[in-house]
Amino acid sequence: MSEIILKDVSFSYRYFSSIAGGLFQSNGGLQRKMALDKVNLHINQGDRVALLGVNGAGKSTLLKLISGVFKPESGEVKTVGTIYSFFGRNVGVMPQLSGMDNLHVRGLLLNLSEEKIQKKLSQILGFIELGSAINRPVSTYSQGMKARLTFGMLMFVKADILLIDEGLGAGDQFFLEKTRLFIDELLDQSKILIFANHSQQLLGRFCNKALLMNDAKVEAFGNIEEVLATYNQLK
């Protein structure tokens, strides 16, 4: 049974600023911004959660704490199940390598055997349709081509908990039609989804619940239509 539990989780960013409010700080300018403030949350298997909030509300920080990229300053984060994080289409892509090499490296990072990587590659290459460009450095790719490559990387994934921070929705219209079926299949394989995106139409398609972050706290969590209504009132 996959689940995500956060108990009184707090996290803040610390940075130096020599000037604050026009005056030099006696403490050397050390500033602190609270990103999450005593967050309590319980997400169960079967939950498809739309993650909402204005910029700076704590959405990305929450996902990084759940994924293990960050550690909480206080409180406890507990996850049950394998996790895959998708934090934007350019994250984890090495522009100096070819598309093919990037796909191969992603398979290795997911601890797949060479045999499984090669078997999956034939399916991926047919899906993303990059042709001979797959052997060119990614630095030469257009944004649409990078989007195709990113979806190819996602095709290696088989995880219980899927965390998506933006990134989906890029690419040409023809390719987007192809990806809809793939995304449905990917989500069917996962047991929990948390999806941060500004497109309410996209969130409504894939999610059955919503989590609204506001000023580093959980403002609302529950039925997606009700939480979306609260979110739209805050904007």
Side-chain angles (χ1 to χ4, degrees):
M1 177 70 70
S2 296
E3 62 180 349
I4 301 169
I5 301 173
L6 278 71
K7 295 181 180 178
D8 292 324
V9 170
S10 293
F11 183 87
S12 63
Y13 294 100
R14 290 176 171 82
Y15 59 95
F16 282 96
S17 177
S18 59
I19 299 178
L23 298 174
F24 283 92
Q25 299 288 304
S26 61
N27 63 359
L30 182 62
Q31 305 293 309
R32 182 171 179 261
K33 175 177 171 51
M34 185 63 71
L36 295 178
D37 187 9
K38 295 183 179 179
V39 169
N40 289 282
L41 191 62
H42 192 169
I43 299 175
N44 293 298
Q45 184 165 310
D47 288 345
R48 303 278 190 265
V49 181
L51 184 53
L52 305 169
V54 299
N55 290 336
K59 305 188 300 296
S60 294
T61 303
L62 177 67
L63 291 176
K64 288 174 181 175
L65 279 160
I66 292 172
S67 68
V69 173
F70 292 164
K71 299 297 181 185
E73 291 179 354
S74 62
E76 178 185 3
V77 177
K78 177 185 177 183
T79 59
V80 179
T82 56
I83 299 175
Y84 184 84
S85 306
F86 177 64
F87 295 155
R89 64 177 177 272
N90 293 322
V91 176
V93 176
M94 291 174 276
Q96 72 276 18
L97 298 183
S98 69
M100 180 71 82
D101 287 340
N102 269 281
L103 288 171
H104 193 266
V105 169
R106 181 56 57 96
L108 293 174
L109 289 174
L110 291 170
N111 295 319
L112 299 179
S113 67
E114 189 66 32
E115 182 180 358
K116 287 184 178 179
I117 291 172
Q118 292 302 325
K119 183 176 180 180
K120 195 70 177 176
L121 274 175
S122 60
Q123 178 189 356
I124 292 172
L125 295 178
F127 181 84
I128 62 178
E129 297 182 346
L130 282 174
S132 61
I134 195 67
N135 294 311
R136 284 177 14 212
V138 175
S139 58
T140 67
Y141 285 15
S142 67
Q143 289 301 309
M145 293 167 71
K146 288 179 183 177
R148 288 174 177 246
L149 179 65
T150 299
F151 273 103
M153 290 179 170
L154 279 173
M155 294 181 73
F156 280 119
V157 174
K158 187 175 183 180
D160 299 318
I161 299 171
L162 187 60
L163 310 176
I164 302 177
D165 190 4
E166 300 294 345
L168 295 182
D172 56 83
Q173 190 59 40
F174 173 74
F175 185 63
L176 287 177
E177 292 298 325
K178 290 184 65 176
T179 60
R180 287 193 177 99
L181 292 175
F182 164 67
I183 294 172
D184 285 335
E185 181 181 340
L186 179 65
L187 297 183
D188 285 342
Q189 293 173 0
S190 66
K191 297 172 182 176
I192 292 175
L193 166 71
I194 305 180
F195 189 6
N197 198 283
H198 291 293
S199 170
Q200 295 188 20
Q201 181 180 6
L202 198 63
L203 294 172
R205 172 180 170 81
F206 295 120
C207 301
N208 56 25
K209 289 186 177 181
L211 169 64
L212 174 58
M213 300 297 298
N214 184 35
D215 196 23
K217 297 178 182 290
V218 174
E219 182 78 19
F221 177 52
N223 176 272
I224 186 168
E225 288 84 6
E226 295 175 359
V227 178
L228 278 172
T230 302
Y231 173 52
N232 289 326
Q233 290 175 355
L234 289 176
K235 291 196 299 181

